Amino acid sequence: MRTGIKRLLRVHGFHSKLFESANALLCHEDFGEALCFILDINLNGESGIELCRCLSDKGVRLPVIYITGNDSEANRAAAIGCIAYLTKPFAVPSLIEPIEKARAAAA
């Protein structure tokens, strides 16, 4: 999924960086050029929502797009404040449009 999203973003003119784990993202230091995070809600036993909270606690506050294959009322409620909440499978514009909005807001 990550590789496919990276290819899709590249085709639409966006550079992306992939992280192997939630911990790898938490240890990353430079978010200076980042427009947003694209996080799966379920990260191999970890929570993308909790990861977002941890990043925020570290002072990293970027718009978030959540992706899930396990849609639920609880997930939607926990994802409040995200710029997009996408359920798999999703249409390409539903991913690209919020990123373009994040880019426009950052300009």
Side-chain angles (χ1 to χ4, degrees):
M1 182 73 156
R2 285 178 308 158
T3 304
I5 288 176
K6 182 175 180 119
R7 287 183 192 135
L8 176 67
L9 293 175
R10 185 177 52 237
V11 165
H12 287 273
F14 295 105
H15 171 75
S16 60
K17 181 163 179 62
L18 302 179
F19 294 90
E20 292 293 322
S21 67
N23 190 54
L25 178 58
L26 283 170
C27 291
H28 188 71
E29 299 283 328
D30 183 14
F31 296 103
E33 293 186 20
L35 297 173
C36 66
F37 293 117
I38 301 171
L39 300 173
D40 200 306
I41 287 180
N42 296 310
L43 300 168
N44 296 324
E46 298 183 59
S47 165
I49 292 170
E50 183 59 32
L51 172 59
C52 187
R53 288 186 189 124
C54 290
L55 288 164
S56 182
D57 289 348
K58 290 179 63 170
V60 181
R61 291 178 178 85
L62 288 169
V64 177
I65 297 169
Y66 286 115
I67 297 173
T68 186
N70 185 24
D71 186 29
S72 70
E73 211 38 62
N75 282 345
R76 279 183 258 129
I80 293 292
C82 64
I83 61 171
Y85 178 92
L86 309 177
T87 56
K88 298 174 192 172
F90 53 86
V92 171
S94 63
L95 177 64
I96 299 303
E97 289 170 6
I99 299 170
E100 288 174 342
K101 289 179 183 175
R103 177 171 51 192

